[in-house]
Amino acid sequence: MQALAIQLKRWPGRQPFLFLALAALLWFALYLALMPVSEALVAALPVARDSHLGGALQFFFYDTPKVLLLLTGVVFVMGIVHTFVSPERTRAMLSGRRLGAGNVMAASLGIVTPFCSCSAVPLFIGFLQAGVPLGITFSFLISAPMVNEVALALLFGMFGWKVALLYLVMGLLVAIVAGLVIGKLGMERHLEDWVRAMQNSQPVNGADIPALSWGERIDSGFSHVRQIVGKVWPYILAGIALGAGIHGYVPEDFMASIMGRDAPWWSVPAAVAIGVPMYTNAAGIIPIVEALMGKGAALGTVLAFMMSVIALSAPEIVILRKVLKPRLIATFVGVVAAGILLVGYVFNAVL
């Protein structure tokens, strides 16, 4: 038995492409089975399917494995992709860049970094240490949690490519423009003294990435899944449970009156204000977004709420206080909040 376990553990390294093909087939088979299995589970319980509890249970039984499958698949693939790019090379790419092109590059790099807002802060410090301009570094800090591949994959899986593409475009615009504004304001003096002292303290170089076998790249994918999915699954369960409650019990008329298309103008800033004190990531908040939209909430209002949760979380601001002085934090929050409000109003106007 132990020998069999060892052979199975070594198999991906020996036949990596066969393993990847079979893993992809298994993933798609499981994904296609989600709906009938969730309906069968509800049918097996002494609960009416069209009751509030029945609707909530079906939502939970369907969305939990769906989000976990999407998240696991995306994180595994990006774990392999990350073996081709090193943090050192990323810093080298951004150092010396001017505002404009550097902001676009930094925001784009944020797409392939599956970090929550708090875990993006250490890399933010590393960029500053490498001499990356402040405005460009902020573009990365905003983009990394808000427009990463996890958020895009989950939006695509739940709402389709149009919503995912619009979110990508608007999220990148917020990150790029906010970084440009902060960069133009010249607020480097509002970095904490210890951060300013360490800037340019280490040489920047495009360190070569060691050649890895495909077996090692697959191991990196599994490592990313253990680290990221293992860390966020409680947020996922909490988000889906809340989403299930909204889906099953919140009346559609009530939700539409608060966050619907015909809701008062202040519904978008109210959604942003509610989102800031919360702390979760895209995987935890998107099930709630799905439930809110299913109850008639307007897309722009809901996406503004989502952006505020994952790009302006209170814990992130607490961590940033160790790096930034209060005036720079206030500027960061104000600029990003203005961009999120604009996204909310634009989405509500065009969709």
Side-chain angles (χ1 to χ4, degrees), residues 113-124:
T113 52
F115 299 138
C116 66
S117 55
C118 291
S119 57
V121 172
L123 196 51
F124 171 86

Side-chain angles (χ1 to χ4, degrees), residues 146 167 259 267-276 285 289 298-312 336-348:
M146 189 164 65
Y167 182 83
M259 301 181 71
S267 63
V268 176
V272 172
I274 292 170
V276 170
I285 199 64
V289 169
L299 179 60
T301 306
V302 172
L303 288 184
F305 166 72
M306 171 182 165
M307 285 181 164
S308 68
V309 170
I310 59 181
L312 286 177
V336 176
I340 292 173
L341 289 173
L342 180 61
V343 169
Y345 286 123
V346 168
F347 267 78
N348 285 346

Side-chain angles (χ1 to χ4, degrees), residues 39 41-43 45-61 243-252 295:
E39 293 289 356
L41 286 173
V42 176
L45 297 174
V47 176
R49 174 62 181 84
D50 56 354
S51 66
H52 292 305
L53 180 58
L57 287 173
Q58 194 279 331
F59 184 96
F60 186 83
F61 291 151
I246 294 170
H247 179 82
Y249 289 94
V250 176
E252 291 187 15
K295 288 297 182 179

Side-chain angles (χ1 to χ4, degrees), residues 45-349:
L45 297 174
V47 176
R49 174 62 181 84
D50 56 354
S51 66
H52 292 305
L53 180 58
L57 287 173
Q58 194 279 331
F59 184 96
F60 186 83
F61 291 151
Y62 175 70
D63 263 44
T64 300
K66 178 180 179 179
V67 172
L68 289 173
L69 272 175
L70 286 168
L71 184 63
T72 300
V74 172
V75 170
F76 178 78
V77 171
M78 293 313 302
I80 294 176
V81 171
H82 288 175
T83 62
F84 295 94
V85 182
S86 69
E88 291 78 13
R89 182 172 295 179
T90 301
R91 288 195 291 268
M93 290 170 59
L94 293 177
S95 62
R97 296 282 177 177
R98 295 184 177 180
L99 286 177
N103 293 94
V104 173
M105 183 178 292
S108 300
L109 286 171
I111 299 174
V112 294
T113 52
F115 299 138
C116 66
S117 55
C118 291
S119 57
V121 172
L123 196 51
F124 171 86
I125 297 172
F127 284 175
L128 291 175
Q129 183 178 12
V132 178
L134 181 63
I136 294 175
T137 306
F138 266 112
S139 286
F140 172 83
L141 180 69
I142 297 164
S143 173
M146 189 164 65
V147 200
N148 63 61
E149 76 274 13
V150 173
L152 295 175
L154 294 179
L155 284 171
F156 175 79
M158 293 183 175
F159 305 116
W161 69 269
K162 291 183 180 179
V163 171
L165 179 61
L166 280 171
Y167 182 83
L168 169 64
V169 171
M170 298 304 292
L172 284 176
L173 283 175
V174 170
I176 292 167
V177 173
L180 281 170
V181 171
I182 292 173
K184 290 291 186 182
L185 291 175
M187 302 189 70
E188 284 78 6
R189 65 186 183 280
H190 295 291
L191 292 169
E192 287 293 343
D193 293 339
W194 69 271
V195 179
R196 296 175 65 188
M198 78 177 185
Q199 284 185 299
N200 298 314
S201 63
Q202 294 183 358
V204 180
N205 58 73
D208 291 333
I209 302 172
L212 299 176
S213 68
W214 269 97
E216 291 171 319
R217 298 188 194 280
I218 290 173
D219 287 340
S220 175
F222 281 123
S223 177
H224 270 64
V225 170
R226 287 192 296 270
Q227 293 173 9
I228 297 174
V229 179
K231 183 185 297 184
V232 306
W233 70 264
Y235 297 106
I236 294 173
L237 291 183
I240 294 173
L242 180 57
I246 294 170
H247 179 82
Y249 289 94
V250 176
E252 291 187 15
D253 292 343
F254 172 77
M255 187 55 63
S257 68
I258 299 298
M259 301 181 71
R261 186 178 297 274
D262 297 324
W265 66 268
W266 48 260
S267 63
V268 176
V272 172
I274 292 170
V276 170
M278 300 177 65
Y279 176 60
T280 184
N281 45 43
I285 199 64
I286 287 179
I288 302 174
V289 169
E290 181 186 24
L292 290 172
M293 288 183 61
K295 288 297 182 179
L299 179 60
T301 306
V302 172
L303 288 184
F305 166 72
M306 171 182 165
M307 285 181 164
S308 68
V309 170
I310 59 181
L312 286 177
S313 67
E316 176 195 24
I317 294 170
V318 171
I319 294 173
L320 282 176
R321 179 62 188 91
K322 302 296 183 180
V323 184
L324 313 178
K325 294 181 179 178
R327 182 172 296 182
L328 183 50
I329 290 179
T331 303
F332 163 68
V333 172
V335 171
V336 176
I340 292 173
L341 289 173
L342 180 61
V343 169
Y345 286 123
V346 168
F347 267 78
N348 285 346

